[in-house]
Amino acid sequence: MCCCSTMSNTERTFVAVKPDGIQRGLVGEVIKRFEQRGFRLAAMKMVVASEDLCKQHYIDLKDLPFYPGLCTFMHSGPVVAMIWEGLNIVKNVRLMLGETNPADSKPGSIRGDLCITLGRNLIHGSDSLDSANKEIALWFKPEEIIEYKSCQQAFLYE
């Protein structure tokens, strides 16, 4: 029977479908891939991120030449922000996304299958557990994160 508690020994990560993914109608495909893998969606919302939020999100890149354009692009339209849970999820999501540059991504990865250029690479995923925690706190209030036990848990984990 399902109940309202989360799995133990899991991590959370932040994933965002960027404006190009929204415009191309790929949100469902992204969600489908994570669900099929067995990860649990803990929160999701569609927002047009403020310029300040985009700057804070990418603050680690502030000294790079593409930073202003990246922030402008992320603020240019809706973004679907999500929190996913699962074992080793940060590492696994990064593998599922593929390389930042879609040209370097393997077929079967999200970027390898669905993207062409670096500037329109469809999706963001946290690159470490520390980054995930910071990004989750930046994009979501604690009350927006849903705690529940997936009925599939026993069929996914030993």
Side-chain angles (χ1 to χ4, degrees):
M1 184 162 120
C2 294
C3 64
C4 294
S5 68
T6 188
M7 306 180 281
S8 61
N9 300 322
T10 62
E11 297 174 348
R12 285 182 175 158
T13 196
F14 176 78
V15 173
V17 178
K18 297 177 183 181
D20 53 323
I22 305 297
Q23 290 295 330
R24 293 180 55 210
L26 295 173
V27 176
E29 176 65 24
V30 168
I31 291 170
K32 174 184 166 188
R33 288 179 183 224
F34 291 129
E35 287 182 332
Q36 284 180 329
R37 183 72 185 262
F39 297 134
R40 188 180 79 79
L41 183 63
M44 180 172 69
K45 61 183 173 181
M46 185 178 213
V47 298
V48 176
S50 70
E51 187 175 354
D52 286 341
L53 176 59
C54 295
K55 286 180 178 179
Q56 287 180 308
H57 180 84
Y58 288 113
I59 195 72
D60 294 345
L61 305 175
K62 70 178 179 183
D63 296 326
L64 298 174
F66 60 84
Y67 174 75
L70 176 60
C71 292
T72 298
F73 175 66
M74 286 294 288
H75 174 65
S76 70
V79 171
V80 172
M82 297 174 277
I83 301 171
W84 288 91
E85 291 184 346
L87 291 175
N88 300 312
I89 194 155
V90 173
K91 177 183 175 184
N92 284 310
V93 164
R94 294 293 292 183
L95 289 171
M96 289 175 69
L97 297 184
E99 298 298 320
T100 302
N101 185 345
D104 298 329
S105 295
K106 293 180 180 176
S109 69
I110 292 170
R111 291 178 179 141
D113 290 349
L114 305 174
C115 305
I116 298 171
T117 64
L118 178 62
R120 299 295 180 265
N121 69 0
L122 187 75
I123 193 165
H124 168 86
S126 302
D127 62 6
S128 70
L129 196 51
D130 285 341
S131 292
N133 291 331
K134 289 176 189 172
E135 292 169 355
I136 288 168
L138 189 62
W139 288 80
F140 289 92
K141 298 174 187 167
E143 61 269 17
E144 293 177 309
I145 303 170
I146 307 301
E147 302 282 347
Y148 67 98
K149 181 177 178 181
S150 170
C151 297
Q152 299 178 34
Q153 182 177 340
F155 299 99
L156 292 167
Y157 300 100
E158 295 181 75

